[in-house]
Amino acid sequence: MSTQLVKDQIKAFLKTETPEVLCIRGNWGTGKTYNWQTTVKALRKDPKAVALKEYAYVSLFGVSSITQIKAGILQNTVVRDKIGDLITSETVSEVVSRGEKGLKTSILKVFSLGGSGIFDAALSALSLLSTNQIICFDDLERKGAGISAGDILGFMSYLKEERRCKVVLLLNDEALKGADKDQFTSYLEKVVDINLRFAPTPAESAKIAMDGVAGADALKAMVSERSVKLGIDNVRVIRKIFRLVALIEPMLKDYQHGVLKSVVSSIVLFGWCHFQPELSPSTEYVKQKGLWETAAERQKKKEDPVAEKWSQLLRSYGYGHTDEFDLVLMQGVADGYFEQDKIDAHAAALHKREQASEARRELDVAWDKFHYSFRDSQDEVLGTMYDAFMKNAEFHNLGAVTALIDLFRELEGRERADKMFERFVETHEGIPGAFDTSSMLRFGHEIPEDMKERIVELNAGEAPKLTVDELFLKLERDGFHSKVADRLAEVPVDEYVRVLTSYVGEDLAKIRRGLTADLNVINPNEASIRIMERAGEALTIIAKESGFNARRARGWRLIQRLEGPKVEQEEEEGVAAVAAERAPKPARPAPAKPAAKRKPRGKAAE
């Protein structure tokens, strides 16, 4: 039942003097107590909304006897317009000073006489005066061992039937165990008149959690949005997470706003895993979330329904993989604090990425004005593009500047186009791969002829000092880096054989992904062609060692590439034919009855 529906039931309950027992059940931390207290406190000034004149809130946490419960009622009883206020001697005296002042005062004097028997007798006498009032009992599931759930429910029945009280019970019934659970289930229908399940939506829980908490509204909104995305409905957990977010926010004041958003998103996830491990993916599962997954790893997750469930949740949440910064944040969540030096060590890189993202967004907006509007003038559009690029040239790649140069030269000449290229060179000189043209050629981009010579000069620097093995291992990540690809293209075939037979597991999988990355590219560059040819020759040599290795090697599809497309097609057709032969033959269908003749319609009939 949603928050509003429960509030409506509470209002109806408070409005009458009819003795009743209202039970509100809900999971730990969902805000049952908060919802009850805020609702009744908001109505306390209106006698028509709260019919009875006295109220007591009693926590059953650690209580082990009916005597303690009676004492709790007496100590916490206040008049109606003090509901929700802090219990003080003044609030108690207001109750004592009513019509039965003399009787209550005389009985209270007995407390000072000492002795447990006298104390119990005094409480019993006073409890007779607890009539026609609202009494709220909380935390039944956390009562002491000396009293049973049946005893408490029986006493509640007594308060309703004999003392004409309206009784409220707040509890997490799922936390009851053994005999207490059995007794609660058995007594429920006999004692409770109104039985409500409090199950707020994640959005309602986030609203409750942020209500009255100190902090910036923007920060609250971020935490709320991310909590709702994960489906967190525990108010206490959301507040604990918000405390961590509020703790780290000042540490990120010198970084891009996107850094804070990214950190908040991670902390909400890690906080959920830490504070509610029974309902969330484990921290270890999230920690092992990698950037790349092999086909075998993906298949293993699909076969594990729990892993697949968490994988889909993280994907929908927008969590890609766990990096070094995430590990620092995870540790901070576990420790309850963060260290500025560790935050700075990783936030700077994220800050740079956020700057690059913002720069790309700004240029994309300028391009949108070109593609999707006929209103803005040429001067306005090109001016916006020029300013966006020149301000953030360091964050753009060769493809971005080339597209701008083509447009500017076509529409207004060379002056600003050449300035943009010089600005690009100035901000990228010395950065590995910054002037690599292989990716551009792959996607059909052309570089103006007068700039090609300059780019060749910029690319003529010293080749990276990598071993042969490092070249193979880096190819997947730096495959578009011409210096890595060019060097690997010159490595002899016997070195390919050595490397392919030396590595196993994920390392070999990484090498395979790098060597086969261009298999489906229509026009691969020369370096890629040479790499695939040499890899194919090496696999041919390995295939000759045994029929088993031949089957393995041909799975890379590089041998078939050497043999030609016809051989590869024939091989695929052969595999399909074998599979078809092995497949169970379908039952022969019964002969179809001849269709009834129908008179043709329309033009066909003519």
Side-chain angles (χ1 to χ4, degrees), residues 80-384:
R80 179 173 50 212
D81 61 358
K82 298 295 183 183
I83 291 175
D85 290 349
L86 184 67
I87 301 295
T88 65
S89 58
E90 287 76 16
T91 56
V92 174
S93 67
E94 286 190 44
V95 180
V96 175
S97 66
R98 293 177 61 250
E100 63 275 6
K101 176 180 177 182
L103 181 58
K104 284 192 175 182
T105 303
S106 63
I107 296 175
L108 283 169
K109 289 179 180 178
V110 179
F111 289 148
S112 62
L113 298 178
S116 60
I118 296 175
F119 182 76
D120 291 349
L123 281 173
S124 295
L126 276 173
S127 66
L128 292 173
L129 302 174
S130 296
T131 59
N132 295 95
Q133 73 176 93
I134 303 164
I135 303 173
C136 177
F137 293 112
D138 201 354
D139 303 318
L140 173 65
E141 71 279 6
R142 299 199 289 174
K143 65 174 184 55
I147 190 170
S148 70
D151 292 336
I152 294 172
L153 285 164
F155 182 61
M156 290 168 54
S157 179
Y158 164 79
L159 290 170
K160 180 185 82 166
E161 301 294 342
E162 303 297 329
R163 309 314 307 159
R164 306 286 297 169
C165 292
K166 295 182 80 71
V167 183
V168 181
L169 176 63
L170 310 175
L171 82 157
N172 175 7
D173 58 318
E174 294 183 359
L176 292 173
K177 304 294 181 185
D180 284 327
K181 187 174 183 66
D182 294 338
Q183 289 175 6
F184 175 79
T185 304
S186 175
Y187 278 67
L188 190 62
E189 289 187 11
K190 300 173 186 176
V191 176
V192 174
D193 301 290
I194 306 167
N195 183 19
L196 306 178
R197 179 74 183 169
F198 185 68
T201 65
E204 290 172 330
S205 295
K207 187 176 185 301
I208 293 171
M210 295 298 106
D211 188 27
V213 175
D217 289 342
L219 203 61
K220 290 181 182 180
M222 274 192 273
V223 173
S224 296
E225 186 273 330
R226 293 283 82 193
S227 297
V228 171
K229 188 71 175 176
L230 287 174
I232 306 174
D233 63 0
N234 191 301
V235 172
R236 297 180 193 176
V237 167
I238 297 172
R239 283 178 178 164
K240 288 180 179 181
I241 291 171
F242 182 75
R243 175 195 165 273
L244 292 169
V245 169
L247 201 62
I248 202 172
E249 182 199 20
M251 299 181 179
L252 300 170
K253 61 180 174 35
D254 295 330
Y255 300 102
Q256 283 273 350
H257 180 67
V259 175
L260 176 63
K261 288 182 66 176
S262 178
V263 167
V264 168
S265 185
S266 293
I267 288 179
V268 172
L269 172 61
F270 304 155
W272 184 44
C273 296
H274 181 72
F275 296 122
Q276 279 193 296
E278 72 282 0
L279 297 177
S280 64
S282 69
T283 300
E284 284 303 312
Y285 177 88
V286 178
K287 190 179 291 186
Q288 294 169 11
K289 177 74 173 171
L291 181 59
W292 305 107
E293 290 180 343
T294 64
E297 288 171 336
R298 286 194 297 273
Q299 184 60 35
K300 185 178 179 181
K301 282 187 178 179
K302 287 180 180 179
E303 293 169 359
D304 181 349
V306 175
E308 178 64 15
K309 169 188 173 183
W310 296 138
S311 179
Q312 289 180 2
L313 181 139
L314 294 180
R315 192 159 50 245
S316 67
Y317 185 67
Y319 188 84
H321 68 286
T322 302
D323 57 25
E324 293 296 324
F325 194 10
D326 290 320
L327 296 178
V328 170
L329 296 176
M330 280 184 187
Q331 189 61 50
V333 168
D335 294 340
Y337 62 88
F338 303 96
E339 299 177 51
Q340 185 72 59
D341 58 338
K342 291 182 179 179
I343 296 299
D344 290 339
H346 298 282
L350 184 56
H351 173 75
K352 204 76 172 175
R353 289 200 296 272
E354 287 298 326
Q355 284 183 305
S357 296
E358 182 59 34
R360 287 193 292 271
R361 281 193 293 270
E362 190 174 340
L363 188 57
D364 286 344
V365 169
W367 273 107
D368 285 346
K369 288 184 177 181
F370 174 79
H371 289 296
Y372 308 119
S373 174
F374 289 104
R375 294 182 179 179
D376 300 306
S377 68
Q378 175 176 315
D379 289 344
E380 290 174 329
V381 173
L382 296 188
T384 302

